[in-house]
Amino acid sequence: QVHFVESGGGLVQIGGSLRLSCVASGLSFSSQQMSWFRQLPGKEREAIVDITSFGSSAIYDDSVKGRFIASRDNAKNTMYLQMNSLKPEDTAVYYCNALIPFAVWGQGTQVVVSS
C-alpha cells in the first residue's frame, strides 16, 4: 500500500521561505523517480520538479526554477522541497508522488503566500 505524507506548509510572507517534506511508504522509494506537484487555486495539479532516484539530477518547471530546490534522503524515504523567494503565485496545495504517479495521493500541504 503506497502512502505519501506531506508536511511543512503554512502561511508565509512574500519573499519568505518554507521547507516541505514528503515521507513515502509502501514502495521501493530508492528506485523511484519522484516529483513534487502543486495545485494552484482553480487549476489542475501539475508537476513542478522531477528528481532522479539517486537525487543526482532534477528538472524544474520554469515557474520555480532558481527559487526551489528539491532533494531526497533515500535512507529516510523522504523527499524535500526548499522553497525560497516565495511569491503569491506559489499559493497552492503541494503534493509528492512518483514521476509517473501512483493512483494514491497524500493529503498535500497547503502553502499560502501573502503580505
Side-chain angles (χ1 to χ4, degrees):
Q1 296 180 1
V2 177
H3 298 279
F4 303 100
V5 180
E6 301 94 346
S7 62
L11 177 64
V12 63
Q13 294 182 339
I14 296 170
S17 298
L18 285 173
R19 190 187 190 219
L20 307 184
S21 297
C22 166
V23 179
S25 61
L27 75 165
S28 182
F29 181 80
S30 62
S31 68
Q32 293 283 343
Q33 294 191 70
M34 297 290 295
S35 299
W36 280 99
F37 301 77
R38 69 182 180 186
Q39 186 168 22
L40 277 63
K43 303 294 185 180
E44 183 178 342
R45 181 164 50 205
E46 62 182 15
I48 56 171
V49 57
D50 307 320
I51 186 168
T52 62
S53 60
F54 290 100
S56 58
S57 181
I59 301 173
Y60 298 86
D61 185 81
D62 286 342
S63 65
V64 305
K65 188 179 299 181
R67 299 187 299 117
F68 291 10
I69 302 171
S71 61
R72 62 193 294 167
D73 185 341
N74 288 342
K76 297 180 178 180
N77 283 10
T78 301
M79 186 167 60
Y80 305 96
L81 185 66
Q82 178 67 47
M83 306 189 298
N84 302 312
S85 301
L86 284 162
K87 306 174 181 179
E89 303 93 279
D90 296 319
T91 295
V93 179
Y94 287 74
Y95 303 86
C96 61
N97 212 315
L99 176 66
I100 301 175
F102 289 88
V104 177
W105 293 84
Q107 65 180 355
T109 185
Q110 175 77 54
V111 173
V112 178
V113 184
S114 70
S115 61

PDB file of all heavy atoms in Angstrom, residues 8 10 13 15-16 23 34 51 54 67 75 78 90 107:
ATOM      1  N   GLY A   8       4.897  20.650   6.243  1.00  0.00           N
ATOM      2  CA  GLY A   8       5.768  21.811   6.197  1.00  0.00           C
ATOM      3  C   GLY A   8       5.147  23.069   5.636  1.00  0.00           C
ATOM      4  O   GLY A   8       5.771  24.135   5.673  1.00  0.00           O
ATOM      5  N   GLY A  10       2.291  26.213   5.177  1.00  0.00           N
ATOM      6  CA  GLY A  10       1.778  27.207   6.091  1.00  0.00           C
ATOM      7  C   GLY A  10       1.641  28.545   5.412  1.00  0.00           C
ATOM      8  O   GLY A  10       1.737  28.664   4.196  1.00  0.00           O
ATOM      9  N   GLN A  13       5.118  35.086   4.308  1.00  0.00           N
ATOM     10  CA  GLN A  13       5.138  36.384   3.644  1.00  0.00           C
ATOM     11  C   GLN A  13       5.831  36.301   2.292  1.00  0.00           C
ATOM     12  O   GLN A  13       6.657  35.421   2.045  1.00  0.00           O
ATOM     13  CB  GLN A  13       5.844  37.421   4.515  1.00  0.00           C
ATOM     14  CG  GLN A  13       5.110  37.751   5.801  1.00  0.00           C
ATOM     15  CD  GLN A  13       5.820  38.809   6.614  1.00  0.00           C
ATOM     16  OE1 GLN A  13       7.015  39.038   6.454  1.00  0.00           O
ATOM     17  NE2 GLN A  13       5.089  39.463   7.490  1.00  0.00           N
ATOM     18  N   GLY A  15       8.419  36.688  -0.390  1.00  0.00           N
ATOM     19  CA  GLY A  15       9.863  36.689  -0.253  1.00  0.00           C
ATOM     20  C   GLY A  15      10.393  35.729   0.786  1.00  0.00           C
ATOM     21  O   GLY A  15      11.614  35.551   0.890  1.00  0.00           O
ATOM     22  N   GLY A  16       9.513  35.109   1.527  1.00  0.00           N
ATOM     23  CA  GLY A  16       9.913  34.184   2.568  1.00  0.00           C
ATOM     24  C   GLY A  16      10.249  32.807   2.040  1.00  0.00           C
ATOM     25  O   GLY A  16      10.243  32.562   0.831  1.00  0.00           O
ATOM     26  N   VAL A  23       7.157  12.094   3.236  1.00  0.00           N
ATOM     27  CA  VAL A  23       7.562  10.764   3.663  1.00  0.00           C
ATOM     28  C   VAL A  23       6.743   9.738   2.893  1.00  0.00           C
ATOM     29  O   VAL A  23       5.510   9.770   2.933  1.00  0.00           O
ATOM     30  CB  VAL A  23       7.375  10.567   5.174  1.00  0.00           C
ATOM     31  CG1 VAL A  23       7.789   9.152   5.577  1.00  0.00           C
ATOM     32  CG2 VAL A  23       8.185  11.589   5.948  1.00  0.00           C
ATOM     33  N   MET A  34      10.974  10.598  -8.532  1.00  0.00           N
ATOM     34  CA  MET A  34       9.907  11.248  -7.794  1.00  0.00           C
ATOM     35  C   MET A  34       9.677  12.664  -8.309  1.00  0.00           C
ATOM     36  O   MET A  34      10.533  13.254  -8.974  1.00  0.00           O
ATOM     37  CB  MET A  34      10.243  11.299  -6.304  1.00  0.00           C
ATOM     38  CG  MET A  34      10.379   9.939  -5.642  1.00  0.00           C
ATOM     39  SD  MET A  34       8.789   9.074  -5.486  1.00  0.00           S
ATOM     40  CE  MET A  34       7.925  10.152  -4.349  1.00  0.00           C
ATOM     41  N   ILE A  51      12.840  14.516  -9.847  1.00  0.00           N
ATOM     42  CA  ILE A  51      14.156  14.216  -9.308  1.00  0.00           C
ATOM     43  C   ILE A  51      14.444  12.729  -9.474  1.00  0.00           C
ATOM     44  O   ILE A  51      13.584  11.883  -9.242  1.00  0.00           O
ATOM     45  CB  ILE A  51      14.268  14.661  -7.831  1.00  0.00           C
ATOM     46  CG1 ILE A  51      15.691  14.484  -7.307  1.00  0.00           C
ATOM     47  CG2 ILE A  51      13.251  13.938  -6.964  1.00  0.00           C
ATOM     48  CD1 ILE A  51      15.911  15.167  -5.962  1.00  0.00           C
ATOM     49  N   PHE A  54      18.429   8.670  -7.366  1.00  0.00           N
ATOM     50  CA  PHE A  54      19.589   8.946  -6.527  1.00  0.00           C
ATOM     51  C   PHE A  54      19.693  10.421  -6.145  1.00  0.00           C
ATOM     52  O   PHE A  54      20.594  10.804  -5.407  1.00  0.00           O
ATOM     53  CB  PHE A  54      20.880   8.508  -7.222  1.00  0.00           C
ATOM     54  CG  PHE A  54      21.027   7.027  -7.331  1.00  0.00           C
ATOM     55  CD1 PHE A  54      20.736   6.369  -8.521  1.00  0.00           C
ATOM     56  CD2 PHE A  54      21.458   6.274  -6.255  1.00  0.00           C
ATOM     57  CE1 PHE A  54      20.866   5.000  -8.629  1.00  0.00           C
ATOM     58  CE2 PHE A  54      21.596   4.900  -6.354  1.00  0.00           C
ATOM     59  CZ  PHE A  54      21.297   4.262  -7.549  1.00  0.00           C
ATOM     60  N   ARG A  67      14.448  29.186  -7.676  1.00  0.00           N
ATOM     61  CA  ARG A  67      13.899  29.532  -6.367  1.00  0.00           C
ATOM     62  C   ARG A  67      13.675  28.312  -5.486  1.00  0.00           C
ATOM     63  O   ARG A  67      13.810  28.409  -4.270  1.00  0.00           O
ATOM     64  CB  ARG A  67      12.578  30.286  -6.525  1.00  0.00           C
ATOM     65  CG  ARG A  67      12.707  31.593  -7.292  1.00  0.00           C
ATOM     66  CD  ARG A  67      11.404  32.393  -7.270  1.00  0.00           C
ATOM     67  NE  ARG A  67      10.307  31.658  -7.898  1.00  0.00           N
ATOM     68  CZ  ARG A  67       9.203  31.268  -7.265  1.00  0.00           C
ATOM     69  NH1 ARG A  67       9.041  31.555  -5.970  1.00  0.00           N
ATOM     70  NH2 ARG A  67       8.248  30.608  -7.912  1.00  0.00           N
ATOM     71  N   ALA A  75      17.537   6.926   2.557  1.00  0.00           N
ATOM     72  CA  ALA A  75      17.600   6.173   3.799  1.00  0.00           C
ATOM     73  C   ALA A  75      16.398   6.457   4.689  1.00  0.00           C
ATOM     74  O   ALA A  75      16.031   5.640   5.527  1.00  0.00           O
ATOM     75  CB  ALA A  75      18.888   6.477   4.549  1.00  0.00           C
ATOM     76  N   THR A  78      12.379   9.899   2.264  1.00  0.00           N
ATOM     77  CA  THR A  78      11.876  11.254   2.387  1.00  0.00           C
ATOM     78  C   THR A  78      12.388  12.139   1.259  1.00  0.00           C
ATOM     79  O   THR A  78      13.555  12.053   0.868  1.00  0.00           O
ATOM     80  CB  THR A  78      12.278  11.860   3.738  1.00  0.00           C
ATOM     81  OG1 THR A  78      11.754  11.050   4.798  1.00  0.00           O
ATOM     82  CG2 THR A  78      11.719  13.267   3.889  1.00  0.00           C
ATOM     83  N   ASP A  90       2.752  31.270  -5.877  1.00  0.00           N
ATOM     84  CA  ASP A  90       3.123  29.960  -5.356  1.00  0.00           C
ATOM     85  C   ASP A  90       2.061  29.386  -4.425  1.00  0.00           C
ATOM     86  O   ASP A  90       2.192  28.242  -3.974  1.00  0.00           O
ATOM     87  CB  ASP A  90       4.457  30.027  -4.615  1.00  0.00           C
ATOM     88  CG  ASP A  90       5.612  30.397  -5.517  1.00  0.00           C
ATOM     89  OD1 ASP A  90       5.669  29.892  -6.657  1.00  0.00           O
ATOM     90  OD2 ASP A  90       6.461  31.195  -5.079  1.00  0.00           O
ATOM     91  N   GLN A 107      -2.583  13.823   1.354  1.00  0.00           N
ATOM     92  CA  GLN A 107      -3.497  14.941   1.554  1.00  0.00           C
ATOM     93  C   GLN A 107      -2.910  16.262   1.077  1.00  0.00           C
ATOM     94  O   GLN A 107      -3.642  17.247   0.941  1.00  0.00           O
ATOM     95  CB  GLN A 107      -3.877  15.057   3.027  1.00  0.00           C
ATOM     96  CG  GLN A 107      -2.709  15.398   3.949  1.00  0.00           C
ATOM     97  CD  GLN A 107      -3.126  15.501   5.406  1.00  0.00           C
ATOM     98  OE1 GLN A 107      -4.308  15.413   5.745  1.00  0.00           O
ATOM     99  NE2 GLN A 107      -2.156  15.688   6.273  1.00  0.00           N
TER     100      GLN A 107
END
